[in-house]
Amino acid sequence: NRVLFWRPSYLQEVRHIFSHFSQLGMTDVGIVYQDVPSAQQAFRNLSTELRGRGLKLTGSAKIGNNEKQNAQEATQLAATKPGFVIVIADTISTALFLKEFRKYAAQTFVAGTSLINLETLRELAGPRAVEWTVFSQVVPNPNTGKSSIQLEHLNMMKKYRDEPPSSLTLEGFTVAKALAKAIQRSKRSSRAALQELMSQDTNIDLGGLSINASPSSNHLSNYVDIALFKKSGLVF
């Protein structure tokens, strides 16, 4: 209860993905999960979420260290013809699944969360395998200046960094800005600023993104978007 997260929860991201595809009329879902305890628990939680939303689980696939077994799991899932597939796995396991799954379902949407490293995913899975993939994002498009925080981030990146803007750099910039705002607003020392922020209902506008502090939640941001991952990068 002394931990404060800036980003939305994993379940919030997944719910946004479900809502996105439900609006497109897709109700048949496949789930891929990594063969680790945390992912297995997430699979059980998602199965419950599916039932609550009236969605149908067509099949599931478990990804581990056995390449032959992974290929078999991916083949069996593709045969169930899901409208879309959601992946609960790290970057490497997601790449292993895509390489096999795309042999049988080249144009089925596969969805992951913002925790996936997309550049590494493309390197491991190959550019063709990442076509028809979408990923939830916890910040808006980092390459446009539609809001003041996006524009400020772009200007700071041009001035101080030698890497291209990305969702990761914008998220880090936003977290730093949120921390600075919390310290500025606090009447106590900087060490206690976040505890003070958590103890009251507070909304702070960062210029296109807001942080919402509440004693009932330890997540400051509820912002979730979805983006299509193409050869050229993310398309919001």
Side-chain angles (χ1 to χ4, degrees):
N1 61 0
R2 291 178 60 84
V3 176
L4 181 63
F5 297 94
W6 177 83
R7 57 170 32 238
S9 69
Y10 183 86
L11 189 56
Q12 284 177 281
E13 292 194 51
V14 169
R15 285 171 173 166
H16 188 82
I17 293 171
F18 284 156
S19 296
H20 173 79
F21 284 107
S22 293
Q23 291 171 8
L24 298 178
M26 297 183 182
T27 57
D28 294 340
V29 188
I31 297 180
V32 178
Y33 62 98
Q34 191 173 347
D35 191 15
V36 295
S38 59
Q40 292 169 5
Q41 180 60 49
F43 169 70
R44 290 189 286 271
N45 293 342
L46 287 194
S47 299
T48 301
E49 184 76 17
L50 286 178
R51 291 192 293 271
R53 289 174 172 265
L55 301 176
K56 177 186 176 183
L57 177 63
T58 66
S60 62
K62 182 168 63 176
I63 303 300
N65 297 322
N66 187 315
E67 292 185 12
K68 186 176 180 179
Q69 182 66 30
N70 290 344
Q72 184 177 351
E73 294 270 339
T75 303
Q76 292 173 347
L77 179 60
T80 69
K81 299 188 182 302
F84 70 97
V85 173
I86 188 163
V87 181
I88 314 165
D90 62 19
T91 303
I92 294 174
S93 293
T94 301
L96 293 175
F97 165 73
L98 280 173
K99 289 181 71 173
E100 295 299 332
F101 186 69
R102 287 305 185 210
K103 296 175 183 178
Y104 311 98
Q107 295 183 330
T108 298
F109 279 110
V110 176
T113 71
S114 64
L115 297 174
I116 299 293
N117 185 314
L118 299 180
E119 292 306 314
T120 302
L121 179 71
R122 178 160 47 190
E123 289 177 13
L124 295 176
R128 295 195 65 179
V130 299
E131 293 182 10
W132 297 87
T133 59
V134 297
F135 295 89
S136 55
Q137 297 292 293
V138 297
V139 290
N141 190 340
N143 295 300
T144 64
K146 292 183 178 180
S147 67
S148 60
I149 194 167
Q150 288 168 285
L151 183 59
E152 188 178 352
H153 165 253
L154 284 173
N155 291 335
M156 293 284 277
M157 289 296 291
K158 289 177 184 177
K159 187 175 181 180
Y160 294 111
R161 301 300 295 268
D162 59 357
E163 63 181 296
S166 67
S167 296
L168 184 61
T169 62
L170 178 53
E171 182 177 350
F173 179 76
T174 305
V175 171
K177 194 173 183 71
L179 178 59
K181 289 281 189 181
I183 293 172
Q184 289 169 0
R185 289 171 61 97
S186 178
K187 297 177 182 179
R188 301 161 66 188
S189 67
S190 59
R191 178 178 298 180
L194 293 181
Q195 284 90 336
E196 183 178 296
L197 188 67
M198 293 173 68
S199 68
Q200 53 192 312
D201 291 314
T202 306
N203 179 277
I204 302 176
D205 181 19
L206 301 177
L209 276 176
S210 296
I211 57 174
N212 299 280
S214 169
S216 61
S217 174
N218 61 346
H219 293 267
L220 287 180
S221 175
N222 294 313
Y223 181 92
V224 185
D225 198 357
I226 198 163
L228 177 66
F229 190 47
K230 302 179 71 174
K231 293 178 182 178
S232 58
L234 280 176
V235 178
F236 285 74

